[in-house]
Amino acid sequence: MNKSFYSKFAGMVCIGFLALSTSTLFAQKGEVGFRYMPTVSVFDIQTSTGGTVRGEVKLGFGAGMLLALNISDHFGIQGEVIYNEVSQRYVEQDIEKRIDLKYVNIPLLFSLNSGKTKPVNFNVVAGPQIGLSVGTQLFDGNSNGNDSRAVLSVKKGDLGVAYGAGVSFGLTASQNFRLGLGFRGVLGLLDISDNSRTLETDQYYILDRSKLNTYSGYLGLSFLF
């Protein structure tokens, strides 16, 4: 085989590599969107007698926005900012009580898609999530106020693993404007309770060695650009 053959072969490889690189570059698309995410939560509650109970599931509020980079039609990375209000209701000594927790959650997710720009796209996501506590409240239904003996103290930060699955539908001929439906779960990795305060004799921490797990559905709109 002469040098001309090798030169042509090398040229074809270079052209093929350039074409692949160009197609990959143009396959990259940004995505921005908004979601409504009703959420239920699960965490353990400590009673005044030292026992542990699991509260009644209560639907909470969630909403957020996402910004994503779709590296190809089948793989992408997305960051989100989600505001969640989660609650647990329980009864102790015939008194109904409720714990409200408010978080701003920031997940960074890797996504696998059946076809991001197809009329119908199925996807799964997973990745780490950082949570920032932005408010807590303990409501005592009997006295219409807070139980002065119970102390609700939560760490400022939380860390979890987010996972989920969903489906999106193209709403326009270009498939760029999309409707999304799906499920999102978060497995809490850290104890969210902060028991560093000095308590009075009759006080007790209402959260003790509690990890926060949440489960959300979502409905949202997004735009590929």
Side-chain angles (χ1 to χ4, degrees):
M1 297 182 181
N2 55 35
K3 293 182 179 180
S4 177
F5 173 82
Y6 286 113
S7 298
K8 290 180 180 179
F9 180 76
M12 292 174 62
V13 171
C14 290
I15 292 172
F17 179 76
L18 180 60
L20 178 61
S21 300
T22 303
S23 65
T24 301
L25 177 64
F26 283 99
Q28 294 182 356
K29 285 194 174 183
E31 183 178 10
V32 62
F34 301 90
R35 287 176 175 172
Y36 170 62
M37 302 179 69
T39 302
V40 296
S41 59
V42 178
F43 53 87
D44 292 329
I45 300 166
Q46 183 171 259
T47 66
S48 58
T49 58
T52 301
V53 297
R54 179 64 58 85
E56 174 188 343
V57 172
K58 183 177 182 295
L59 188 64
F61 172 78
M65 62 176 295
L66 68 89
L67 182 63
L69 172 65
N70 299 305
I71 298 173
S72 73
D73 213 31
H74 303 290
F75 178 74
I77 302 173
Q78 66 187 53
E80 301 177 359
V81 178
I82 305 167
Y83 175 74
N84 281 120
E85 295 180 358
V86 296
S87 298
Q88 289 281 282
R89 182 186 290 116
Y90 69 104
V91 176
E92 182 183 6
Q93 298 179 353
D94 296 327
I95 299 175
E96 183 178 284
K97 300 181 180 183
R98 190 184 78 234
I99 297 173
D100 294 341
L101 305 178
K102 300 176 182 180
Y103 278 87
V104 172
N105 293 309
I106 307 172
L108 177 62
L109 305 173
F110 300 92
S111 63
L112 293 176
N113 302 277
S114 62
K116 191 67 180 182
T117 57
K118 303 298 183 184
V120 179
N121 171 51
F122 296 93
N123 68 84
V124 293
V125 298
Q129 173 175 289
I130 296 174
L132 304 174
S133 174
V134 294
T136 63
Q137 184 176 14
L138 173 62
F139 178 77
D140 186 329
N142 184 54
S143 61
N144 197 30
N146 291 335
D147 184 349
S148 60
R149 296 179 304 131
V151 176
L152 176 58
S153 184
V154 174
K155 294 174 182 174
K156 292 297 183 182
D158 189 21
L159 180 65
V161 175
Y163 59 93
V167 59
S168 66
F169 305 91
L171 300 179
T172 59
S174 64
Q175 312 302 330
N176 280 14
F177 190 56
R178 306 187 68 84
L179 170 69
L181 305 168
F183 163 79
R184 175 71 56 79
V186 178
L187 176 65
L189 300 178
L190 303 180
D191 175 10
I192 64 171
S193 57
D194 180 9
N195 298 349
S196 60
R197 291 176 49 181
T198 301
L199 301 182
E200 297 180 7
T201 303
D202 61 342
Q203 289 185 319
Y204 65 97
Y205 286 112
I206 202 167
L207 295 181
D208 185 32
R209 295 183 295 277
S210 297
K211 295 181 179 180
L212 179 61
N213 300 325
T214 60
Y215 308 94
S216 307
Y218 70 79
L219 170 66
L221 295 172
S222 66
F223 180 74
L224 297 174
F225 59 92

